[in-house]
Every structure is written in structure tokens, then in C-alpha cells.
């Protein structure tokens, strides 16, 4: 990895090493992908105000997220199928996050189970919950997260229906994946990936298979999943979830100030300004465009986090400047994981920390807590 200098380098390597159907699942948005592209483009439009002759000798990136001390104000976002980007991917990413000192969030749709990750890490991690129709299963899932000592529960609210991603349809990504001639030919070109996947027993959705009623294998999982997304999910459901969980609660998928106020009223400890990485409602605003109004409306009553398009420490600084307490990264760490495993994720975090530190210094700041809109030349560009 001595030639890796940024997240984009990891992406190029990942594209070579991961089968097309899984790489495209990671690196795509819904419909025209306009929101997916806007997440990055709108961040890049924000320019920094350089300051000079300021004493910046003693700098610190340390912060607190959900009551936890962290090495920088960043967490690894929940991402589905992480264990298909790299064998045992969730375990490897969680270990890297632990070594660096930032939170890791495990997805409901992970390959490695809650118990797999808990048994192979020593630091509590966050767990992301998709609310399914089978409330009995969801209740047990919450109980399993609590038994595994997860320190926060993140409820994703923007997946009541599934956004259409053209690449997944064209690649035949399904549960289980369809063994088309094109897919088999592509797998033949990824021998390292195939060898690592053959060595691990973790190739199903570990939080669901064997735990949900009637789901014993990947084939039965397909029909179960198709029936389980709950279009009736509403704010009243959070009261039951909060009571069952009893710990720190985060709601994810907020793009509107009215919804942000509802999150506060529901008793959430934090919210994530997010458009699901541009994978759900194409044409929705970028996360950074939605952030300022939400931070202004509720930032004094709830921790406001943001994800979507964050590919560098500079993007992290941009989000902090517009009111975020911290950011979550998804694709950035997935590229690194797919390319180089645990060592790649650790290197990705190191690179982003250095980018954040150096950019903060050029802006005349020494602590991330002191970052505000004044580090930007044009903060209004995000609106």
C-alpha cells in the first residue's frame, strides 16, 4: 500500500479485485444516480478559507460521539453485504476501526453476524436496524445487539421500499446470486476473492439466516426479504424500539427539518442526515445541502451526524463546518476493505485523519470542536 495516497486509489484497486456484481452493488445509486453524484460534487463545491501566521502547533482531532471518546469525529457507516466485498469483511472493518479508535456500525444485512463481530473485537460497536414486518424477529435482533454489548442502536428510516438500482438488475444480483455465464466468467477473473470466500464459512446474511422464522438458507431468505420491508413504519414505532433497546438511539435517513424535529421528539440521541448514499430517492438533495438547515433547527438538542459523499478528511471538515458533530463513511472504507482488507481500512482512516488535520491547520484551527462556517469561503454553496 505504499503507493496508496487517497480513497480514490483504493477504489481503483477494489474495482479490479471484486466481482462486478458486488463492486457495482457498492458503487452505484438509484435510477439516474444524480443524488449519488451530487453527494460528492456538492461537498467539493465548498472552498476553504486559508489563514496564515496562526499558532497551530498543538492540534487535536479527538472528539466525542454518542458519549464515546473517539480519535476523530468519524464512524464507519452500516453497509450491507460488506462480507461479500472481502471475506469476513465486517469483522475486518470492525477490527480496523477499533485499532484506530472510531466507532464501527454493523448492518442488519451484514454477512457476519452480531455475534461473529462481538466475539472477534473488544470494543463495543454500533448496530444498525432495519425494521421488518416480523416484529418478533426485530425484538430478538434488538436483544441480540444488547447481549453483544452494542453501544448504540441506529434505526434506518428510509428503506420502507427499495430504490431501484439499474446495475444490480443488469448484473443479476439476487439472493442467492444468479450464476449467469457473464457472472461466472467474471468470477474466474477474481481468483483471490474466490479463494478467500471459499475459506470462510460466512457467506449468508448472518443476522437473519437461522434466526428469522422459516429462513434456513439463502433461497428461503429471498422470499422472506421480499415480504419484510414495512411500508407502515412510522414515528410511533420508535417508542417501542426505544423501550426494547434501552440505550443510545440514532435515527438515520433524515433530510428534512420537520423530520429532524420528530427525531428529537421521539427521544433519539442522534440523527444522521443521509440520503442512503443516493441509493434510494434519486433526485433528493445531497446530504451536505440538507445539513445546514437541520443543524440549525435541532443541533442544540441532538447530535447531528452526516453521511453521503465523504471521501476525505477535507470532506469531514466541510461537514463539521456546516454543523455536523461527526460524519459516517461507507464507500470510502468499503473500497479500502475490498482492496486490502483490515490493513486497508486502517490505512484509509489514517489518510483521512491526516487530511483532516492538515486542512484544519491551513484554516487556522487547532481543535475540531472549534471548526465552524468561518473555515469556508462560501458556506452558502451547500444550500
Amino acid at each position: 500500500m505504499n503507493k496508496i495516497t487517497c480513497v480514490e486509489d483504493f477504489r481503483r484497486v477494489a474495482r479490479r479485485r471484486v466481482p462486478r456484481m458486488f463492486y457495482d452493488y457498492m458503487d452505484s445509486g438509484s435510477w439516474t444516480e444524480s443524488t449519488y453524484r451530487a453527494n460528492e460534487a456538492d461537498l467539493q463545491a465548498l472552498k476553504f478559507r486559508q489563514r496564515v501566521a496562526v499558532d497551530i502547533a498543538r492540534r487535536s482531532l479527538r472528539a466525542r460521539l454518542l458519549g464515546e471518546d473517539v480519535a476523530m469525529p468519524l464512524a464507519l457507516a452500516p453497509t450491507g453485504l460488506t462480507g461479500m466485498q472481502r471475506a469476513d469483511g465486517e469483522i475486518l472493518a470492525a477490527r480496523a476501526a477499533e485499532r484506530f479508535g472510531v466507532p464501527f456500525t454493523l448492518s442488519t444485512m451484514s454477512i457476519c453476524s452480531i455475534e461473529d463481530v462481538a466475539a472477534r473485537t473488544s470494543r463495543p460497536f454500533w448496530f444498525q436496524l432495519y425494521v421488518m414486518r416480523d416484529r418478533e424477529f426485530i425484538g430478538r435482533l434488538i436483544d441480540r445487539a444488547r447481549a453483544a454489548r452494542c453501544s448504540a442502536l441506529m434505526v434506518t428510516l428510509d428503506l420502507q421500499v427499495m430504490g431501484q438500482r439499474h446495475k444490480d438488475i443488469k448484473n443479476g444480483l439476487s439472493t442467492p446470486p444468479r450464476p449467469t455465464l457473464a457472472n461466472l466468467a467474471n468470477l474466474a477473473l477474481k481468483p483471490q476473492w474466490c479463494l478467500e470466500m471459499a475459506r470462510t464459512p460466512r457467506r449468508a446474511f448472518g443476522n437473519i439466516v437461522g434466526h428469522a422464522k422459516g429462513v434456513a438458507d439463502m433461497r428461503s431468505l429471498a422470499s422472506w426479504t421480499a415480504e419484510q420491508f414495512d411500508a407502515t413504519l412510522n414515528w410511533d414505532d420508535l417508542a417501542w424500539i426505544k423501550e426494547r433497546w434501552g440505550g443510545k438511539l440514532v435515527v438515520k435517513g433524515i433530510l428534512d427539518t420537520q423530520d429532524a424535529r420528530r427525531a428529537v421528539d421521539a427521544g433519539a440521541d442522534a440523527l444522521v442526515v443521509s440520503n442512503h448514499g443516493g441509493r434510494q430517492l434519486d433526485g433528493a438533495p445531497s446530504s451536505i445541502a440538507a445539513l445546514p438547515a437541520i443543524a440549525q433547527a435541532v443541533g442544540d438538542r441532538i447530535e447531528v451526524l452526516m453521511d453521503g459523499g465523504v471521501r476525505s478528511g477535507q470532506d469531514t471538515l466541510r461537514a463539521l463546518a456546516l454543523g455536523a458533530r461527526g460524519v459516517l463513511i461507507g464507500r470510502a472504507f468499503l473500497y479500502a476493505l475490498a482492496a486490502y482488507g483490515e490493513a486497508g481500512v486502517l490505512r484509509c482512516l489514517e489518510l483521512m485523519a491526516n487530511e483532516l488535520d492538515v486542512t484544519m491547520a491551513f484554516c487556522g484551527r487547532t481543535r475540531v470542536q472549534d471548526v465552524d462556517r468561518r473555515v469556508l469561503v462560501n458556506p452558502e454553496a451547500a444550500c
Side-chain angles (χ1 to χ4, degrees):
M1 286 187 290
N2 61 335
K3 297 294 179 67
I4 298 292
T5 60
C6 61
V7 165
E8 176 61 16
D9 290 343
F10 285 120
R11 189 194 66 79
R12 293 192 185 102
V13 177
R15 189 170 187 176
R16 295 198 303 268
R17 295 190 174 183
V18 178
R20 183 190 305 113
M21 71 167 66
F22 297 120
Y23 175 84
D24 282 352
Y25 172 82
M26 163 177 60
D27 198 28
S28 64
S30 63
W31 286 331
T32 70
E33 299 190 333
S34 66
T35 297
Y36 169 36
R37 293 191 300 272
N39 277 342
E40 293 185 60
D42 289 356
L43 277 163
Q44 293 300 306
L46 295 166
K47 304 305 178 185
F48 297 108
R49 174 174 284 113
Q50 178 172 307
R51 301 300 302 277
V52 297
V54 178
D55 183 354
I56 53 172
R58 297 181 180 180
R59 300 188 302 281
S60 174
L61 302 182
R62 299 204 64 84
R64 288 180 67 82
L65 294 178
L66 291 174
E68 301 178 34
D69 290 324
V70 293
M72 65 174 166
L74 178 150
L76 270 58
T79 55
L81 290 174
T82 303
M84 300 308 287
Q85 305 299 335
R86 187 88 173 199
D88 300 333
E90 291 89 358
I91 293 171
L92 300 180
R95 285 177 173 173
E98 181 176 300
R99 287 170 62 187
F100 189 83
V102 296
F104 167 79
T105 316
L106 183 70
S107 170
T108 291
M109 305 305 292
S110 60
I111 301 301
C112 302
S113 69
I114 300 171
E115 293 79 10
D116 286 333
V117 177
R120 290 160 181 83
T121 55
S122 58
R123 174 179 175 145
F125 53 93
W126 301 349
F127 181 69
Q128 175 267 341
L129 181 71
Y130 283 129
V131 184
M132 309 294 194
R133 291 180 182 273
D134 186 346
R135 292 295 199 267
E136 183 181 347
F137 166 71
I138 292 303
R140 292 196 306 271
L141 195 57
I142 293 171
D143 294 344
R144 288 168 59 196
R146 188 170 56 247
R149 300 185 304 113
C150 292
S151 56
L153 184 71
M154 182 180 295
V155 182
T156 295
L157 298 178
D158 60 354
L159 199 75
Q160 291 169 277
V161 294
M162 179 74 77
Q164 179 173 308
R165 300 147 201 170
H166 297 330
K167 291 177 184 176
D168 291 348
I169 295 172
K170 292 174 180 177
N171 288 331
L173 184 67
S174 59
T175 306
R178 294 200 300 272
T180 65
L181 182 61
N183 287 339
L184 292 173
N186 187 249
L187 283 172
L189 299 175
K190 317 292 181 183
Q192 180 180 349
W193 184 93
C194 292
L195 180 61
E196 291 179 354
M197 291 303 301
R199 289 172 174 169
T200 181
R202 303 177 186 91
R203 294 186 291 272
F205 290 100
N207 292 322
I208 300 174
V209 174
H211 296 280
K213 185 177 180 179
V215 182
D217 53 33
M218 290 290 279
R219 292 191 180 279
S220 54
L221 174 67
S223 58
W224 181 86
T225 302
E227 300 169 354
Q228 282 299 315
F229 289 109
D230 191 354
T232 71
L233 175 65
N234 61 76
W235 290 103
D236 292 337
D237 293 312
L238 276 184
W240 171 78
I241 293 170
K242 182 177 173 64
E243 182 179 1
R244 182 85 177 229
W245 169 243
K248 296 284 188 180
L249 182 69
V250 184
V251 293
K252 181 175 181 288
I254 305 297
L255 287 176
D256 184 87
T257 54
Q258 187 173 350
D259 286 339
R261 293 187 180 97
R262 293 295 299 269
V264 173
D265 294 342
D269 298 281
L271 64 83
V272 184
V273 177
S274 172
N275 52 37
H276 217 104
R279 295 167 61 78
Q280 285 293 90
L281 176 59
D282 190 37
S286 67
S287 295
I288 195 66
L291 173 63
I294 292 173
Q296 183 175 8
V298 300
D300 59 340
R301 292 182 288 163
I302 191 172
E303 287 190 34
V304 176
L305 310 176
M306 191 204 86
D307 77 2
V310 178
R311 302 290 186 267
S312 67
Q314 290 199 318
D315 291 338
T316 303
L317 190 66
R318 291 173 169 117
L320 297 177
L322 293 181
R325 188 77 63 89
V327 301
L328 280 70
I329 58 169
R331 291 182 177 96
F333 93 80
L334 286 176
Y335 298 147
L337 174 71
Y340 296 107
E342 179 179 342
V345 178
L346 183 60
R347 177 61 176 158
C348 173
L349 292 170
E350 291 170 345
L351 289 171
M352 294 185 75
N354 181 66
E355 292 162 350
L356 174 57
D357 175 67
V358 171
T359 307
M360 186 174 70
F362 277 126
C363 293
R365 297 291 194 274
T366 58
R367 301 191 316 151
V368 289
Q369 293 85 352
D370 297 332
V371 171
D372 57 24
R373 297 170 70 93
R374 291 173 293 178
V375 305
L376 301 174
V377 174
N378 58 337
E380 68 284 349
C383 301

